[in-house]
Amino acid sequence: MSASASVHLVPLRHVSAAESAGWHRVVAASMAHDLPSVPAPEPGQVHAQITQTALGSRRLNWLATGADGSPVGVAGLRVFTDPGQEHLSELELHVDPAHRRRGIGSFLLSEVVAACHAENRRSLIAAAAADSPGEAFSERHGFSRALTLDHLLLRLDELPDADLPPTADTAPPGYRPARWTGTVPDELADAFAAAKTAMNDMPVGDLDYGSVAWDADRVRAMAQVIADRGDTLLTLAAVHDDGTMAGYTEVLLPQGRGPRAQQYDTAVVPAHRGHGLGLWVKTAMVRRLRAEHPDVVEIETDNAEDNVHMLAVNHRLGFRSCRRTLEFQLDLPSG
């Protein structure tokens, strides 16, 4: 029997509490099977993800249910809307391991691809853990491997102060530290936006990712999106004597305050590279976390495998590789 005959597909226009709970059950089961070392998101995190609009995009959601009405699979499509990324879409797809190999994932993907055509998208990107069922699924459905990410973990509770580089105590000559929680202070907003734009040169492999122009309004909007979903964003920056922001690092504390923080962006503006600022801001952030958030015991980050400079910085700080993620891309024919 085909999946379409035994599975009911529901586009989620307004996500109910029951639908959100069902989505969470599928994601938790999928991650426990495919990524047992990664903490599953809390129900509130999942609800925020599927109901809160991400910056510069819209989201479409589908819930697949079995004959008895229980959830068996989910698919989310992020449709990018910013100039420079209007060709792009991003897929999240999970099938409960107890219901795999019945065509449910393929059924969901066909709906997603149809939506991509309706939205005039030329590129669909998706992530899968290396050597996982998601990798095989992506290759079987015509996705090409575009980027490999190395995930690294830093255990703060196993890192004595003596092991931290001494650059955390004093900013490099010509620079001063700035730190904030949530929205950037008004006096730094323009400088922060300019530094954010520096991320456009980060390695993205063969992904057709496009680029985004940042301004003060956009960085404020980004912080608001994160706050609206219940997460906390910490930022630590290096500001040059001339007032420009030379580099920064961001760490996300998910709602619920679990033991693992997520590294967001770390960037050093090209004109200020070569002064050890990347190592300095990341080390200072570790000290900040230990002082202000002692419940956080580890930080997870990821780097493109060809981003040798940032990998070297992270290894110098004490991060250790723990897994790999493959970024796939499906090129969609026009029309």
Side-chain angles (χ1 to χ4, degrees):
M1 181 181 295
S2 68
S4 59
S6 58
V7 173
H8 182 53
L9 206 58
V10 182
L12 302 185
R13 310 298 183 190
H14 303 285
V15 181
S16 69
E19 290 166 340
S20 178
W23 190 293
H24 176 261
R25 286 196 298 273
V26 170
V27 171
S30 174
M31 290 185 63
H33 183 273
D34 298 341
L35 291 168
S37 66
V38 178
E42 297 293 326
Q45 292 175 266
V46 168
H47 180 77
Q49 178 187 6
I50 62 179
T51 59
Q52 299 288 337
T53 302
L55 186 64
S57 64
R58 296 180 287 106
R59 184 178 171 98
L60 306 174
N61 298 308
W62 294 266
L63 180 67
T65 58
D68 61 355
S70 61
V72 295
V74 298
L77 180 67
R78 183 181 180 189
V79 180
F80 289 72
T81 56
D82 278 329
Q85 291 188 313
E86 293 170 312
H87 63 285
L88 187 64
S89 53
E90 184 176 25
L91 169 67
E92 176 199 7
L93 192 152
H94 294 275
V95 176
D96 188 317
H99 297 273
R100 290 179 180 175
R101 299 189 177 277
R102 302 178 188 179
I104 296 169
S106 299
F107 187 30
L108 284 163
L109 180 60
S110 67
E111 290 294 312
V112 168
V113 169
C116 288
H117 286 302
E119 296 284 347
N120 197 29
R121 304 287 125 172
R122 74 167 183 252
S123 300
L124 175 64
I125 60 176
D131 304 316
S132 72
E135 176 183 351
F137 176 87
S138 299
E139 292 176 342
R140 189 166 64 249
H141 286 85
F143 286 77
S144 58
R145 189 180 303 188
L147 181 69
T148 301
L149 297 173
D150 189 10
H151 291 255
L152 304 98
L153 199 63
L154 178 66
R155 292 283 304 188
L156 303 183
D157 56 345
E158 298 174 358
L159 186 66
D161 282 335
D163 289 348
L164 288 175
T167 51
D169 297 322
T170 305
Y175 300 93
R176 61 178 174 84
R179 64 177 66 191
W180 63 89
T181 299
T183 304
V184 60
D186 288 345
E187 66 272 17
L188 293 175
D190 289 328
F192 186 40
K196 274 281 186 183
T197 301
M199 285 293 290
N200 283 331
D201 73 350
M202 69 178 180
V204 294
D206 295 323
L207 289 174
D208 184 16
Y209 200 74
S211 61
V212 174
W214 289 84
D215 59 19
D217 287 340
R218 182 177 174 84
V219 296
R220 293 187 185 104
M222 177 200 70
Q224 189 60 53
V225 166
I226 291 171
D228 287 346
R229 69 180 189 224
D231 299 333
T232 301
L233 186 65
L234 308 179
T235 307
L236 197 145
V239 180
H240 191 260
D241 288 344
D242 65 7
T244 60
M245 190 170 292
Y248 67 91
T249 189
E250 300 169 317
V251 166
L252 183 92
L253 306 181
Q255 63 165 289
R257 291 294 191 278
R260 180 176 297 186
Q262 294 291 331
Q263 178 75 61
Y264 264 33
D265 290 348
T266 298
V268 176
V269 174
H272 295 274
R273 291 173 183 168
H275 300 287
L277 292 175
L279 179 61
W280 180 74
V281 294
K282 289 179 74 75
T283 306
M285 177 62 83
V286 168
R287 292 192 185 277
R288 179 181 178 185
L289 281 171
R290 297 176 79 173
E292 299 177 7
H293 301 278
D295 54 320
V296 174
V297 298
E298 56 189 12
I299 307 172
E300 182 178 351
T301 188
D302 62 73
N303 298 114
E305 282 194 334
D306 58 352
N307 191 353
V308 292
H309 175 71
M310 191 54 67
L311 283 168
V313 167
N314 284 327
H315 285 135
R316 170 70 179 87
L317 190 54
F319 282 88
R320 296 293 178 261
S321 297
C322 59
R323 61 187 177 94
R324 291 183 305 130
T325 292
L326 306 176
E327 295 276 352
F328 287 93
Q329 180 169 296
L330 181 66
D331 296 325
L332 303 167
S334 60

